[in-house]
Amino acid sequence: MRPDRVTIGAESEQAIAIMKDIYSALYLIETPFVITSLETAEMIKYAANAFLATKITFINEIANLCEVTNADVHHVSRAMGLDGRIGKKFLHPGQVTGALAFLKIPGPLREWHMREDTRLSFWILSSR
């Protein structure tokens, strides 16, 4: 297991210490730890997974457009992935491995978006 980060959401120093102990092997190999509130940790999970789902969906839409325009989607995605701001991970057309797990993620984000007390305009969650 080599995660990019370990996110720990906790309300007490004791809980943080226990979680750090559980994941100590990852700490030893310098995996970044993000220590935050429970609410922020939950949002990190949903936001990261929704972004990955968006990236997969986007390259599949580009693949459809490439098919119509006779462009090579593999060249397009490779060139896009060379941009450090975009990166090559999760930028492969037809990639559904794990994508189905992401489908449930926008639901909680959409629920927060629709709540009266948030009053947010989150257009990407409104579109379907």
Side-chain angles (χ1 to χ4, degrees):
M1 183 165 78
R2 291 206 171 265
D4 293 319
R5 70 180 176 292
V6 173
T7 304
I8 298 174
E11 295 178 351
S12 72
E13 291 300 319
Q14 181 183 8
I16 292 169
I18 290 169
M19 295 305 290
K20 280 184 167 181
D21 188 48
I22 290 170
Y23 290 104
S24 62
L26 295 175
Y27 186 76
L28 293 174
I29 60 170
E30 299 183 1
T31 301
F33 276 56
V34 177
I35 311 295
T36 189
S37 69
L38 292 169
E39 296 84 2
T40 302
E42 185 176 23
M43 186 58 72
I44 290 168
K45 173 189 173 184
Y46 290 138
N49 286 336
F51 182 78
L52 294 175
T54 301
K55 195 170 178 181
I56 292 167
T57 301
F58 180 79
I59 196 60
N60 283 330
E61 290 295 317
I62 293 298
N64 292 338
L65 187 56
C66 285
E67 195 170 310
V68 171
T69 61
N70 205 28
D72 186 330
V73 69
H74 299 290
H75 289 180
V76 172
S77 66
R78 183 176 180 282
M80 286 175 62
L82 292 173
D83 186 322
R85 298 167 298 168
I86 297 170
K88 63 184 177 184
K89 290 184 178 180
F90 293 92
L91 200 58
H92 305 286
Q95 183 178 24
V96 293
T97 306
L100 296 178
F102 298 141
L103 294 178
K104 65 182 180 184
I105 298 301
L109 291 176
R110 193 175 296 108
E111 288 169 20
W112 282 316
H113 160 66
M114 299 299 284
R115 283 181 17 197
E116 282 295 316
D117 60 331
T118 57
R119 299 191 188 279
L120 296 174
S121 178
F122 203 167
W123 66 269
I124 198 166
L125 294 178
S126 300
S127 62
R128 263 203 159 206

